[in-house]
Amino acid sequence: MLLNFNFFLFSTVDAQIRLIGPNLCSGRVEIFHNGVWGTVCDDSWDMNDAAVVCRQMGCGSAQSAPPAAYFGAGTGQIWLDDVLCTGSESDLSQCTHNGFGINNCGHGEDASAICTRPNNPTGETLKMLIGPNLCSGRVEVLHNGVWGTVCDDSWDMDDAAVVCRQMGCGSAQSAPPLAYFGAGTGQVWLDDVLCKGNESDLSQCTHNGYGISNCGHGEDAGVICAADGEIRLIGPNVCSGRVEVLHNGVWGTVCDNGWDMNDAAVVCRQMGCGAAQSAPPVAYFGAGTGQIWLSYVLCTGSESDLSQCTYDGYGISNCGHGEDASVICAGEKVF
């Protein structure tokens, strides 16, 4: 299933690989070398290679090894080509390859991996959110080895609360119906889901039974969860605006002290909005209200998340909202 949206990314710092895709365990394979992230060419890329990546990421077994930039083309370095793993290695660097930076590929050949998710004792009700980040998106469940969606009939905040809890994403902010995060494909596994809101797993809620549905994918259910460290842009579109971060369930702004293009680059990347075009200070998109969460943010520009940058600490600031920081990104995010 080819997904048409820009992706949020996650990384395993110790392992020095990451998957750029719709969730922690699916995406374009990138590897860290000499302080720079780069992609892997799909020449000879197969399930043995994907199995090593999935194991290294702590993401269970490999489901597929998509070639040809399935999760979008990367940029910059292509670090590895002709990777040949036996499948038993614990680290991609243990597999044979041509050597770092030696390749005859373009980014249209970037390799990917789709893994099963961890910590799923039954194999039946594992959740995945297809959207802008790990904690917001279209709800999908795994049944009989096949991913499928959930119909929005009776879908409400109680159902969303269970999904957010199960995903480790805090409280539910909304339960968008009508394929808010795009229509899925294939199976619609669940319909008429009725949760009380206190269940620990969506499988504990009542529903019609797997595959029993009168829905089309235009009715796919979504959730938006309140994950600490989440960011949003308040402005003319989803990729330009005043930067706000979520902390302890409360949205707050970022002071423009020290705010520059490196910081903006991280925000744009985290939002799936391409490169940063500018980092406007002094409440360029209007002054926020309430909390000012961050001040003196110092990013190198390579971080995948604003929370990985240095800053004074949440709520430590000598700023007013006339100093709220903003970004303008080049991309337009499409779910």
Side-chain angles (χ1 to χ4, degrees):
M1 178 176 64
L2 182 59
L3 304 172
N4 280 326
F5 51 80
N6 294 316
F7 302 100
F8 190 69
L9 59 88
F10 300 85
S11 64
T12 55
V13 175
D14 292 337
Q16 297 298 291
I17 63 169
R18 63 185 183 185
L19 294 177
I20 308 299
N23 59 67
L24 179 63
C25 292
S26 300
R28 181 177 67 250
V29 180
E30 298 200 354
I31 188 165
F32 197 60
H33 179 65
N34 282 346
V36 176
W37 286 103
T39 63
V40 177
C41 181
D42 63 9
D43 292 346
S44 303
W45 188 256
D46 61 17
M47 287 292 286
N48 286 336
D49 309 315
V52 174
V53 169
C54 293
R55 182 181 305 113
Q56 188 173 353
M57 290 292 295
C59 286
S61 60
Q63 288 188 317
S64 64
Y70 182 88
F71 287 102
T75 59
Q77 291 286 346
I78 299 173
W79 278 132
L80 299 183
D81 190 13
D82 291 316
V83 175
L84 293 173
C85 302
T86 65
S88 61
E89 297 87 350
S90 59
D91 189 300
L92 198 65
S93 65
Q94 298 172 356
C95 304
T96 63
H97 54 81
N98 292 345
F100 283 98
I102 302 173
N103 75 85
N104 60 354
C105 304
H107 283 293
E109 301 169 85
D110 286 342
S112 299
I114 298 176
C115 315
T116 59
R117 296 291 296 277
N119 303 320
N120 181 47
T122 67
E124 289 295 307
T125 59
L126 194 59
K127 303 298 163 297
M128 178 165 66
L129 300 183
I130 307 297
N133 56 65
L134 183 62
C135 291
S136 299
R138 181 177 67 248
V139 180
E140 298 204 357
V141 300
L142 186 68
H143 179 66
N144 285 342
V146 177
W147 286 102
T149 62
V150 177
C151 180
D152 64 9
D153 292 346
S154 303
W155 189 255
D156 61 17
M157 287 292 287
D158 288 335
D159 308 316
V162 174
V163 172
C164 292
R165 182 181 306 114
Q166 189 172 358
M167 291 292 295
C169 288
S171 61
Q173 289 189 314
S174 64
L178 301 173
Y180 180 86
F181 289 101
T185 59
Q187 292 287 344
V188 179
W189 277 133
L190 299 181
D191 190 11
D192 291 316
V193 176
L194 292 172
C195 301
K196 298 175 183 178
N198 59 0
E199 297 88 348
S200 59
D201 190 299
L202 200 65
S203 66
Q204 298 171 358
C205 305
T206 63
H207 54 81
N208 292 345
Y210 285 98
I212 302 174
S213 164
N214 61 355
C215 301
H217 284 294
E219 300 169 86
D220 285 342
V223 298
I224 298 174
C225 312
D228 208 51
E230 187 176 345
I231 63 173
R232 66 183 182 185
L233 299 179
I234 306 299
N237 58 64
V238 74
C239 289
S240 298
R242 181 176 66 249
V243 180
E244 298 198 353
V245 300
L246 188 67
H247 179 63
N248 286 342
V250 177
W251 286 101
T253 63
V254 177
C255 180
D256 63 11
N257 288 341
W259 190 255
D260 61 17
M261 285 293 288
N262 286 337
D263 309 316
V266 174
V267 170
C268 293
R269 183 181 304 116
Q270 186 173 352
M271 289 293 297
C273 287
Q277 290 187 317
S278 64
V282 294
Y284 182 88
F285 287 103
T289 59
Q291 291 285 346
I292 300 174
W293 279 133
L294 300 181
S295 183
Y296 288 105
V297 176
L298 294 174
C299 303
T300 65
S302 62
E303 297 87 352
S304 59
D305 189 301
L306 199 65
S307 66
Q308 297 172 356
C309 305
T310 62
Y311 49 85
D312 282 351
Y314 283 100
I316 301 174
S317 165
N318 61 354
C319 302
H321 283 294
E323 300 168 86
D324 286 341
S326 301
V327 299
I328 297 174
C329 309
E332 180 66 25
K333 182 164 55 178
V334 179
F335 298 119

